[in-house]
Amino acid sequence: MKNKKIEILLVEDDPNLSMLLEDYLEMLDYKVTLCSDGEEGWNCFTQNPFDLCILDVMMPKKDGFTLADQIREKDKHIPVIFLTAKSLKEDRIKGFKIGCDDYITKPFSTEELSLRIQAILKRSKTGIVHIEVDQQETYHFGSFIFDYTNMLLKSKKENQKLTKKEAHLLKLLCLNKNKLIRREQILETIWGENDYFFGRSMDVFITKLRKYIKEDNAVQITNVHGTGFKLEIED
Amino acid sequence: MKNKKIEILLVEDDPNLSMLLEDYLEMLDYKVTLCSDGEEGWNCFTQNPFDLCILDVMMPKKDGFTLADQIREKDKHIPVIFLTAKSLKEDRIKGFKIGCDDYITKPFSTEELSLRIQAILKRSKTGIVHIEVDQQETYHFGSFIFDYTNMLLKSKKENQKLTKKEAHLLKLLCLNKNKLIRREQILETIWGENDYFFGRSMDVFITKLRKYIKEDNAVQITNVHGTGFKLEIED
DNA sequence: AAAGATGTTAACAGCTTGTTAATTTGATTA
DNA sequence: TAATCAAATTAACAAGCTGTTAACATCTTT
């Protein structure tokens, strides 16, 4: 009864966003069912059990609020996250916020969504038996999710296993995202000592990490000559 | 969970000033939401989470104090910085200063604002999870922000990467803003030795720095013949 | 006008880093 | 304990970057 994936119903009509979110949520180990409008969403909901719904508010045929009303008739406690445009009046959202609900305004970062999901599941975990509560140490950058606890670098394409040193180095870079870390600081933190050979070793690991992250062009490990390295993420 | 940008709500009706501030705050790595009057500001505030509000006091439709009152009803602890004209009676400001607030009178320097923001965030960091605490070494001059820690010279247009020597020399100039530094002092500080060739080398670096800062006419590195250099900033 | 100081560009040498492969070290299993 | 496999380090060479120097132009002072 444990280790079963949490099931998310995602109803979103914009195909670009929905595909992106689906991929991303699956990287986070959720089981995602994707629907592209409110009616389809309602059909799905009646036919399968879900732990969480993520509903776009603005949709053709049936908007997110109407769908949420229906869903609530059937299941009073299932948590819902609304995706709304920034300009939207928030009267209705406020009404909903009484329940185990939340909303997130577009555009949002994937990390932000991840945090909201965790929060809402935590709050309302009544009834979900198979939830995993263990605190994982994860870092999000670019299109990657770096699961330090399990030494996995997850991307859409694959899960790259990391060695201890690789993971440690990547963690250090993540903790200093977009900031320069000096060579000596890396060496002292990870190798405990700063000499020529450890320095060369570090360079080898930087090469390895660069290979792992090269599939995302928005992310790179840059060198500042004579000084150190930086994990650069373009927004 | 960390490294997320701090979100600032900026409400200011003067378009010139607001654009300038927006650019500047973004250069400082804050995420800025700009509103041009109190009502718009209130809408934004209700729809998004912010870590800090910067409110102009004198605004059409809804002034900064009224807006702050409303904001405080919803969030008792969010820090607010008021922008006021010098002539303004400060009775009301005094009233507000009880909270986690501050005010700054126009005209103010961007650096001054930066310092206030840092101070106020430091004071009230309760609840802000993703704050970055590490002390960065930055210098402000003209329209530039010189991030010595990351060896970056930031301007509206671009981020110029600096080499170690360039950064060191620029730092020395910044520390002596509008003051003459003698050649021998620069040479001894940065090169450790004062001979003819290092002197020529320094001149080359001065040329390089001049190139980097030439986009801002209010800033220049001037030479005092036979004596040294000065980083001059016009107000 | 002459001498020295500074401005500027380009080229070079030396050092740092990137990368791949070989070797050593360490951990796991039979 | 030996055999095996994975990980980390070292080696070797290529590529890149930086600081210095040289060369020449321009400016300042006397």
Side-chain angles (χ1 to χ4, degrees):
Chain A
M1 193 57 54
K2 56 182 331 234
N3 246 343
K4 208 172 150 243
K5 286 189 180 174
I6 289 173
E7 305 210 9
I8 295 182
L9 174 63
L10 172 62
V11 190
E12 163 65 56
D13 63 309
D14 174 3
N16 296 316
L17 180 60
S18 64
M19 288 302 288
L20 193 90
L21 286 180
E22 188 182 12
D23 283 347
Y24 178 77
L25 292 170
E26 275 163 2
M27 266 163 62
L28 286 166
D29 275 331
Y30 298 114
K31 191 180 166 204
V32 181
T33 304
L34 176 61
C35 297
S36 55
D37 65 60
E39 281 185 14
E40 200 188 327
W42 172 243
N43 284 335
C44 268
F45 183 78
T46 54
Q47 281 159 40
N48 301 66
F50 291 100
D51 301 310
L52 169 69
C53 300
I54 301 178
L55 311 180
D56 191 6
V57 169
M58 229 99 74
M59 280 187 303
K61 294 192 193 172
K62 183 180 292 182
D63 73 271
F65 289 129
T66 314
L67 176 55
D69 280 330
Q70 276 190 289
I71 287 176
R72 267 293 142 70
E73 267 179 53
K74 207 184 164 217
D75 181 339
K76 274 215 318 217
H77 297 295
I78 187 166
V80 176
I81 295 178
F82 293 104
L83 309 180
T84 77
K86 201 166 193 171
S87 58
L88 202 75
K89 284 250 167 70
E90 58 144 354
D91 306 359
R92 291 223 53 194
I93 293 169
K94 251 190 180 163
F96 268 103
K97 278 210 78 177
I98 307 163
C100 354
D101 299 326
D102 201 352
Y103 69 101
I104 186 165
T105 55
K106 300 180 188 177
F108 51 85
S109 74
T110 47
E111 183 163 22
E112 206 177 332
L113 181 60
S114 165
L115 292 173
R116 303 256 179 166
I117 292 172
Q118 282 179 253
I120 208 170
L121 286 176
K122 207 170 187 178
R123 254 188 284 148
S124 71
K125 68 182 162 203
T126 339
I128 303 181
V129 188
H130 51 266
I131 203 168
E132 289 185 24
V133 204
D134 53 330
Q135 203 51 33
Q136 303 282 82
E137 187 174 352
T138 57
Y139 303 92
H140 301 229
F141 63 96
S143 57
F144 297 101
I145 296 175
F146 169 35
D147 181 344
Y148 178 71
T149 317
N150 297 303
M151 305 212 296
L152 280 177
L153 181 62
K154 301 181 178 185
S155 72
K156 270 131 215 170
K157 289 184 190 140
E158 55 175 357
N159 285 8
Q160 172 66 49
K161 290 184 183 179
L162 302 183
T163 70
K164 213 189 291 187
K165 278 254 155 69
E166 288 168 350
H168 199 172
L169 178 55
L170 184 54
K171 174 179 170 177
L172 194 56
L173 288 164
C174 285
L175 286 172
N176 293 281
K177 192 155 67 172
N178 288 320
K179 275 193 306 206
L180 175 63
I181 326 175
R182 333 202 128 251
R183 290 181 71 92
E184 54 269 28
Q185 198 192 326
I186 299 175
L187 289 168
E188 266 152 37
T189 308
I190 295 179
W191 278 267
E193 203 174 341
N194 169 12
D195 72 1
Y196 172 79
F197 289 106
F198 285 136
R200 296 322 331 270
S201 200
M202 173 179 71
D203 291 329
V204 172
F205 279 97
I206 292 286
T207 298
K208 287 179 183 164
L209 292 182
R210 280 184 177 137
K211 254 182 211 159
Y212 299 150
I213 67 172
K214 75 161 173 286
E215 74 176 68
D216 184 348
N217 296 327
V219 171
Q220 51 226 12
I221 300 173
T222 54
N223 170 258
V224 180
H225 197 92
T227 313
F229 294 94
K230 196 200 303 196
L231 176 62
E232 280 190 329
I233 286 96
E234 295 164 23
D235 303 307
Chain B
M1 188 83 49
K2 49 183 338 229
N3 246 340
K4 209 170 150 245
K5 284 188 181 175
I6 289 174
E7 304 209 10
I8 295 183
L9 175 63
L10 172 63
V11 190
E12 162 65 56
D13 64 308
D14 174 4
N16 296 316
L17 180 59
S18 65
M19 287 304 287
L20 193 89
L21 285 180
E22 188 182 12
D23 283 347
Y24 177 77
L25 291 171
E26 273 162 5
M27 265 162 62
L28 286 167
D29 275 331
Y30 298 112
K31 192 178 164 201
V32 181
T33 304
L34 176 61
C35 296
S36 55
D37 64 61
E39 280 185 14
E40 199 188 327
W42 172 243
N43 283 334
C44 269
F45 181 79
T46 54
Q47 281 161 40
N48 300 68
F50 291 100
D51 300 310
L52 168 70
C53 300
I54 301 179
L55 312 179
D56 191 6
V57 169
M58 229 99 73
M59 280 187 302
K61 294 193 193 170
K62 183 181 291 183
D63 72 90
F65 289 128
T66 315
L67 177 55
D69 280 329
Q70 275 190 289
I71 285 175
R72 267 294 141 70
E73 267 180 54
K74 205 181 166 219
D75 181 339
K76 275 214 320 217
H77 297 296
I78 188 165
V80 177
I81 295 178
F82 293 104
L83 309 180
T84 77
K86 201 164 195 172
S87 58
L88 200 76
K89 287 248 168 72
E90 60 162 331
D91 307 358
R92 289 220 56 191
I93 294 169
K94 260 190 176 157
F96 267 104
K97 278 211 76 178
I98 307 164
C100 353
D101 299 327
D102 201 352
Y103 68 100
I104 187 165
T105 54
K106 301 180 188 177
F108 51 86
S109 74
T110 47
E111 182 161 23
E112 204 178 336
L113 181 60
S114 165
L115 292 173
R116 303 258 180 166
I117 291 172
Q118 282 179 255
I120 207 169
L121 285 176
K122 206 169 186 177
R123 255 187 284 148
S124 71
K125 70 181 161 203
T126 340
I128 303 181
V129 187
H130 49 265
I131 203 166
E132 290 184 25
V133 203
D134 54 330
Q135 205 49 35
Q136 303 280 85
E137 188 175 350
T138 57
Y139 302 92
H140 301 229
F141 63 95
S143 57
F144 298 100
I145 295 175
F146 169 36
D147 181 343
Y148 177 71
T149 318
N150 293 302
M151 306 211 296
L152 282 177
L153 181 61
K154 300 180 178 185
S155 72
K156 270 130 213 169
K157 289 183 192 143
E158 56 176 357
N159 285 9
Q160 173 65 48
K161 292 184 182 180
L162 302 182
T163 71
K164 218 190 291 193
K165 277 255 155 69
E166 289 167 351
H168 199 173
L169 178 54
L170 183 54
K171 173 179 170 177
L172 193 56
L173 288 163
C174 285
L175 286 172
N176 293 281
K177 192 155 65 173
N178 289 318
K179 275 193 305 208
L180 175 65
I181 326 174
R182 334 198 115 256
R183 291 181 70 91
E184 54 269 29
Q185 198 193 325
I186 299 175
L187 288 168
E188 266 152 36
T189 307
I190 295 179
W191 278 267
E193 203 174 341
N194 170 11
D195 72 1
Y196 171 78
F197 290 107
F198 286 137
R200 299 316 335 271
S201 201
M202 173 180 71
D203 291 328
V204 172
F205 278 98
I206 292 287
T207 299
K208 286 178 183 165
L209 292 183
R210 280 182 177 138
K211 250 182 214 160
Y212 299 150
I213 66 172
K214 74 161 172 287
E215 75 177 66
D216 184 349
N217 296 326
V219 172
Q220 51 227 11
I221 300 173
T222 54
N223 172 259
V224 179
H225 198 89
T227 315
F229 294 95
K230 196 202 300 196
L231 176 62
E232 281 190 327
I233 286 97
E234 297 163 21
D235 301 308

